Amino acid sequence: MGSVTSSRGAALFGARDAVGAAGVAMAATFLAFGAAVREAGLPPGWALVACWAIYGMPGQLVLVQAASTGFVGGIAPAVMGAIAVNARFLPMAIAITPLFGVAERKRLIPAIPFIAVTPWAAAMRAFPKIAAGARLAWFLGFGLTSWVVAGLAALAGFYVAGMLDDHARAALLFVNPLYYALLLAADLDKPAPRRAILCGAAAAGLVFILPSSMGLLAAGIIGGTAAFLWGRARGGR
Amino acid sequence: MAALLPFYGGGRVEAADLALALTALACLLLRSAGVWLAGGLGADHPIIAWATAIAQATLAAFVMLAIIAPSGALADVPLAARLCGLGVGVAVCLAFGRNLLPALVVGLVAMLALRALLA
């Protein structure tokens, strides 16, 4: 069923995928992040380490916003907020692990830092075209390339921060949700993702009644659980 | 080492460094825990289906909020322009074989065009 079978070919295929729409979306978002880091008074090295070590934009932004206020509420609330908005890494890691078709968990260690929204969503789309034995190579090719794109874009954003007005920054910030929306839209013809998308969108309103750092996580858990139960009620279709 | 200090900021950003280190460690643990928990489960196991639904629902909620109620510079873009960009992008994606890059570019251009018209 997979059309890409060799590991080398899959890694190159992954790298190529990472510089397409995913690369454009990631570069735009991380450019805006780099500019925000500079405005918060943090150095470029911090922007680079945040991109590569956290690799989850909502959590990165929580820290930058806290830093811009001088951590007036302390470090702990900022860290807890950043972890809460990036808690989706846990279900994403659970969901993608069996798809690698790797029996030994040790072999997945190099892939762990790359489990984030963009590689995860791209993998869910690409994996059906890749033989199980070559999926880890695809993921590493995609993940490494998108890491490099993210880091370079953040540094570029740091150094061109003064040239970006609010209009330019708004355009950059729009690219990321639009890209994710397109990834989700491409899955609308499949019953299980369609249910999850509808329930997640419907549950998004929870953000307005819960603390902001917990709202997205709660929307995902409640919306996803509702979609899962809906699917079970329909016989898992 | 001293040459790197301007790039990394020296001791000026200790609180931000600590916050970054703790968050990065927690994110690594979350990812590792997911891989460890899923080890041995098949792709069609109900727990995997549940986790996949949660991940997709979280992404859908994130997109919904980023378009309907964004913060920061994007909040200054009229809602109509944001919805127009989203609608046009999705329509192009579905109409042209789910090709993401052209849909991304056309959606962005549509948002910018309507924002300019409404300004």
Side-chain angles (χ1 to χ4, degrees):
Chain A
M1 58 183 221
S3 60
V4 179
T5 53
S6 79
S7 291
R8 189 165 180 271
L12 292 173
F13 185 38
R16 193 199 67 187
D17 281 355
V19 293
V24 172
M26 184 158 276
T29 312
F30 280 75
L31 262 170
F33 172 74
V37 168
R38 182 165 194 165
E39 284 170 12
L42 296 166
W46 193 94
L48 195 60
V49 175
C51 290
W52 286 347
I54 298 178
Y55 200 41
M57 186 51 72
Q60 292 171 220
L61 289 175
V62 167
L63 291 189
V64 170
Q65 282 161 6
S68 68
T69 66
F71 290 96
V72 287
I75 291 176
V79 171
M80 292 304 292
I83 294 169
V85 296
N86 277 353
R88 63 184 183 282
F89 293 153
L90 179 67
M92 284 179 176
I94 294 174
I96 201 170
T97 296
L99 303 182
F100 285 120
V102 172
E104 279 182 277
R105 270 174 277 191
K106 275 190 304 189
R107 285 191 55 210
L108 293 180
I109 289 174
I112 287 174
F114 304 127
I115 298 175
V117 175
T118 300
W120 180 86
M124 300 302 266
R125 189 166 186 247
F127 275 3
K129 293 177 280 186
I130 301 165
R135 287 176 182 171
L136 180 57
W138 180 94
F139 194 73
L140 292 175
F142 187 102
L144 271 171
T145 306
S146 58
W147 244 25
V148 172
V149 169
L152 293 179
L155 283 181
F158 184 92
Y159 289 111
V160 303
M163 297 158 62
L164 296 175
D165 60 12
D166 281 350
H167 296 295
R169 199 164 303 155
L172 291 174
L173 291 174
F174 183 71
V175 171
N176 192 250
L178 178 60
Y179 170 68
Y180 292 146
L182 297 177
L183 275 172
L184 293 172
D187 266 349
L188 280 173
D189 57 342
K190 299 170 194 153
R194 184 168 60 235
R195 283 191 291 267
I197 292 163
L198 290 175
C199 292
L206 287 170
V207 166
F208 299 111
I209 55 174
L210 292 171
S212 60
S213 62
M214 302 304 295
L216 185 61
L217 179 63
I221 291 173
I222 292 171
T225 303
F228 171 72
L229 295 174
W230 181 5
R232 301 287 282 181
R234 292 181 65 88
R237 285 178 293 121
Chain B
M1 190 68 196
L4 284 175
L5 289 181
F7 185 69
Y8 204 81
R12 197 166 53 82
V13 285
E14 282 175 5
D17 292 343
L18 181 59
L20 171 55
L22 291 173
T23 305
L25 180 64
C27 289
L28 186 63
L29 289 175
L30 282 169
R31 292 169 167 125
S32 303
V35 170
W36 183 79
L37 286 169
L41 299 179
D44 53 354
H45 193 283
I47 288 177
I48 301 300
W50 181 48
T52 304
I54 288 175
Q56 285 167 329
T58 307
L59 191 53
F62 171 79
V63 169
M64 180 66 105
L65 292 167
I67 300 292
I68 303 293
S71 57
L74 193 53
D76 295 333
V77 176
L79 175 62
R82 284 180 255 136
L83 289 175
C84 173
L86 175 68
V88 170
V90 169
V92 169
C93 175
L94 296 178
F96 294 95
R98 291 167 163 73
N99 198 343
L100 299 185
L101 191 53
L104 191 69
V105 173
V106 174
L108 179 61
V109 169
M111 184 278 278
L112 293 171
L114 189 57
R115 186 182 67 171
L117 280 173
L118 295 174

